[in-house]
Amino acid sequence: MKEKAYLVESIRRAWLMNIINFYGLIILLPFYILTRGGVLLVFIYALILSTVGIMVIVKLSVRSARRFRIRVMDEINRRDILSIAYNAFYGVLIPQVSLLFVPIIITVTMAVSIVDIPVYIRIISIFTVFLALVLGFTYRNVRVIRMNIDYIFRYLRST
Amino acid sequence: MSDELERLEEILERRAREEPYGGILPIPSSTKIERLASRIYSFMRSIEEFLKKSQNVPKVRGCLLGLSLIVVCIVSLRDVNLSIGLLVFLLTLNFLFYPEMAMLISRFFTHVIYDLVKKGTIASILTPREIVEKLRSVEYIFFASLPLLVLVFFPGTPIVFTLRIIGTFTVVISAIAYYYLKMALECWERPTRRISESDIISLEFLVLVSIFIMAAVSLYLIMPPELASVYGWIITILSYAFISVVIAVPSFQAALHVTTLWRGIDTRRLFEEIERHVRWV
C-alpha cells in the first residue's frame, strides 16, 4: 500500500511540477513588466494576486486534482505501464535537478549590461558564461539522475 | 612436350622484356585537375544521395524557406512594400513546391506548442510512429528558423524585427523539441541503452546547446535595455523548458528499460506456463 501511495504521489509530482512551474512563471511575468510603471501598479497586481488570485488558484487546484485522478485511473485501467513508469521516474527525479544556473545567468546578463564594454565582447562573454553554465549544470543534473536511476534499478532487481 | 612448353615460356619472357615497361602498361597517374574533378564529383554525388533520402526532405525544404525569408529581409532594407509582395510570392512558391509545408507548420503548433502550453513541457510519451511524424515537422521548423538567427546583424525594419523575434523563439523551442524527439526515438530503437552524463559530451548535443544559447543571446540583442528584467524572465522560462526536457530523456529511457524488462519477464513466465501444460510430442 505504501509503495502504491508513493507511486501515485510521484506521478502527481511529475504532472504538477511542469504545470506549476510553467504557469507560475507566466503569472510572475506582469511583475517584471509592471516594475517600469511604478510601485503602485506592482502593488495593485500583488493585491489582485493575493485576493482574487488565491480563490482562482484554489479552484484550479481542485479542478486539476480531479483531472489528475481521472487521468491516472484511466492509465491504470488501460494498463498503460509505460506512461505510469515514465511519470513515476520523472516525479522521483525532477526534485533532484538543480536550477541554480538560471539566477547566475540572469545576474551575469544584468551585470554585463551595466558595464560599459563593446557589444561584441558583451555578446561573447554572455555566450561563454551561458554555455559553460548550461553544460556544467546539465552534466551534473544528468549524473545525479543517472545515479538515482541506477539506485532504483538495483531496488527493482532486488525485489 | 614439356621441352616445347619451356621453350615457349622462354620466348614469351624474352618478348615481354623487349616490350616497353616490361610488357606491363603503367597505370596512368591522375593529374591534379582530375583528382579535383573526382573529389567534386564524389561530393556532388553525396549531396545528391542526401537530397534523395526522404527523411532529409523537410530539412532541405525548411532551409529553402528560411533562405527565402532572408531574401525578403534583404529586400525590405530597400523597399518595404516590395518585400511584402516578395514574401507572399515566396511563401506561395514554397507551398506549391512543397504542399506538405502547411501540414508540418500546423502540426508544430498543434503538437509542440500546444503540448508546451497544456502540460508545461515539450516532453511526452509517444509511440515511434508519433515521434517520426512530430520530428518531421520540428525538423522543418528548426531548419527554416535557423537562418533567421543571422537577422541579428540586420538593421531593424518592421519585417526584420518581426521575423527576428519569430525566428529566435521558434529556434529555441524547436531545438529543445528536436533533441527530445531524436533521443526518444533512439530510446525506442534501443530500449536497454543507458543514458549517462557521457551523452552530454556528444557533438549533436553540443551543437544543439550552442544553437539554443545563440538564440537566447540574440534575444538579448533584440530586447531594449529597459526590459532587461523581462529578458531575465524569458531566460528562466526557456532554461526551465530546456532542463525539463533534458531530464525527461533519462526518465523515458528508464521507463522503457523497465517495461521492456517486465515484458520480457512476463513472456518468460508465459512460456514456462505453456511448457508445464503442453505435452510436447
Side-chain angles (χ1 to χ4, degrees):
Chain A
M1 190 63 199
K2 213 162 72 179
E3 279 94 349
K4 278 180 189 172
Y6 186 60
L7 180 77
V8 173
E9 169 56 21
S10 301
I11 298 170
R12 191 190 68 88
R13 204 191 292 162
W15 191 64
L16 275 183
M17 188 72 93
N18 291 323
I19 292 173
I20 288 173
N21 284 325
F22 186 75
Y23 285 101
L25 281 168
I26 285 174
I27 289 167
L28 282 179
L29 177 63
F31 271 121
Y32 289 90
I33 298 166
L34 293 173
T35 43
R36 293 188 66 226
V39 186
L40 188 70
L41 283 175
V42 178
F43 182 72
I44 291 167
Y45 184 67
L47 207 67
I48 292 168
L49 270 189
S50 57
T51 51
V52 183
I54 286 173
M55 285 186 271
V56 173
I57 284 163
V58 169
K59 186 88 181 157
L60 276 175
S61 61
V62 171
R63 210 179 141 202
S64 63
R66 202 175 294 141
R67 268 184 61 200
F68 169 74
R69 189 175 58 104
I70 293 166
R71 213 190 95 167
V72 172
M73 289 311 291
D74 181 50
E75 278 172 1
I76 291 167
N77 290 334
R78 280 190 291 117
R79 296 180 66 83
D80 187 0
I81 50 165
L82 181 63
S83 180
I84 292 169
Y86 165 75
N87 282 313
F89 271 109
Y90 195 80
V92 170
L93 299 172
I94 196 82
Q96 318 285 336
V97 172
S98 167
L99 289 170
L100 193 66
F101 69 97
V102 180
I104 299 174
I105 288 168
I106 293 168
T107 315
V108 169
T109 6
M110 285 186 167
V112 167
S113 55
I114 291 166
V115 181
D116 190 25
I117 45 170
V119 181
Y120 61 90
I121 295 177
R122 195 176 287 175
I123 294 164
I124 291 167
S125 55
I126 290 174
F127 181 82
T128 315
V129 171
F130 209 147
L131 187 70
L133 283 170
V134 167
L135 279 179
F137 272 87
T138 310
Y139 186 88
R140 182 246 172 220
N141 284 332
V142 172
R143 189 162 175 272
V144 170
I145 276 159
R146 199 253 310 149
M147 282 158 69
N148 276 286
I149 287 175
D150 285 350
Y151 177 75
I152 295 167
F153 278 173
R154 272 202 300 277
Y155 172 76
L156 286 173
R157 285 195 188 105
S158 67
T159 51
Chain B
M1 185 70 179
S2 64
D3 293 341
E4 282 172 3
L5 278 173
E6 276 174 12
R7 176 88 183 127
L8 182 66
E9 201 177 335
E10 277 171 19
I11 291 166
L12 284 172
E13 275 178 6
R14 200 171 60 238
R15 286 270 170 88
R17 274 197 297 273
E18 283 165 5
E19 288 283 328
Y21 305 110
I24 301 162
L25 280 175
I27 299 166
S29 60
S30 53
T31 59
K32 274 185 181 175
I33 296 169
E34 281 174 334
R35 278 202 295 273
L36 189 70
S38 161
R39 270 185 196 169
I40 292 169
Y41 175 74
S42 60
F43 179 68
M44 297 303 272
R45 280 297 297 267
S46 62
I47 288 176
E48 189 192 351
E49 276 167 22
F50 177 83
L51 293 175
K52 268 184 183 171
K53 281 182 186 169
S54 63
Q55 72 251 37
N56 293 328
V57 174
K59 294 177 192 169
V60 178
R61 295 289 175 181
C63 270
L64 286 175
L65 178 67
L67 292 173
S68 311
L69 295 174
I70 292 285
V71 171
V72 169
C73 289
I74 292 168
V75 173
S76 79
L77 299 176
R78 289 287 174 95
D79 190 344
V80 177
N81 292 330
L82 182 69
S83 67
I84 292 167
L86 191 67
L87 177 69
V88 174
F89 170 72
L90 287 174
L91 283 178
T92 316
L93 203 67
N94 269 288
F95 176 72
L96 289 174
F97 279 111
Y98 191 55
E100 271 184 64
M101 130 188 194
M103 189 201 50
L104 294 176
I105 293 171
S106 66
R107 198 184 280 159
F108 180 77
F109 284 100
T110 53
H111 286 50
V112 179
I113 304 289
Y114 180 66
D115 262 13
L116 182 67
V117 174
K118 192 181 163 195
K119 297 177 195 163
T121 180
I122 294 163
S124 54
I125 294 283
L126 299 163
T127 59
R129 197 177 166 184
E130 286 169 336
I131 292 173
V132 171
E133 279 176 6
K134 219 170 167 177
L135 192 62
R136 279 167 71 88
S137 67
V138 168
E139 273 175 348
Y140 184 76
I141 296 290
F142 181 60
F143 281 89
S145 47
L146 206 55
L148 298 182
L149 287 182
V150 184
L151 294 179
V152 172
F153 303 106
F154 280 51
T157 61
I159 290 180
V160 172
F161 193 71
T162 313
L163 287 176
R164 206 190 272 170
I165 292 172
I166 294 170
T168 311
F169 276 104
T170 47
V171 164
V172 173
I173 293 169
S174 55
I176 297 169
Y178 184 72
Y179 170 73
Y180 176 73
L181 293 169
K182 284 283 264 189
M183 290 302 283
L185 195 63
E186 206 183 310
C187 291
W188 273 108
E189 281 163 3
R190 289 195 293 158
T192 49
R193 178 188 185 275
R194 302 285 283 278
I195 297 214
S196 66
E197 54 270 31
S198 58
D199 288 287
I200 302 302
I201 309 164
S202 66
L203 183 70
E204 199 175 12
F205 183 78
L206 286 173
V207 170
L208 279 172
V209 166
S210 304
I211 291 168
F212 168 75
I213 293 166
M214 265 196 306
V217 173
S218 65
L219 258 180
Y220 173 76
L221 294 170
I222 295 167
M223 282 280 170
E226 307 90 56
L227 292 174
S229 55
V230 178
Y231 178 73
W233 179 85
I234 292 170
I235 287 296
T236 312
I237 203 161
L238 290 180
S239 303
Y240 183 75
F242 173 77
I243 210 83
S244 69
V245 161
V246 172
I247 300 314
V249 175
S251 307
F252 187 58
Q253 176 64 46
L256 271 172
H257 186 102
V258 165
T259 49
T260 308
L261 280 180
W262 285 342
R263 273 194 291 271
I265 292 163
D266 281 351
T267 317
R268 198 179 64 200
R269 276 187 197 144
L270 185 77
F271 273 98
E272 281 168 2
E273 196 74 12
I274 291 168
E275 270 180 349
R276 266 203 297 275
H277 289 95
V278 176
R279 186 187 288 170
W280 302 99
V281 182

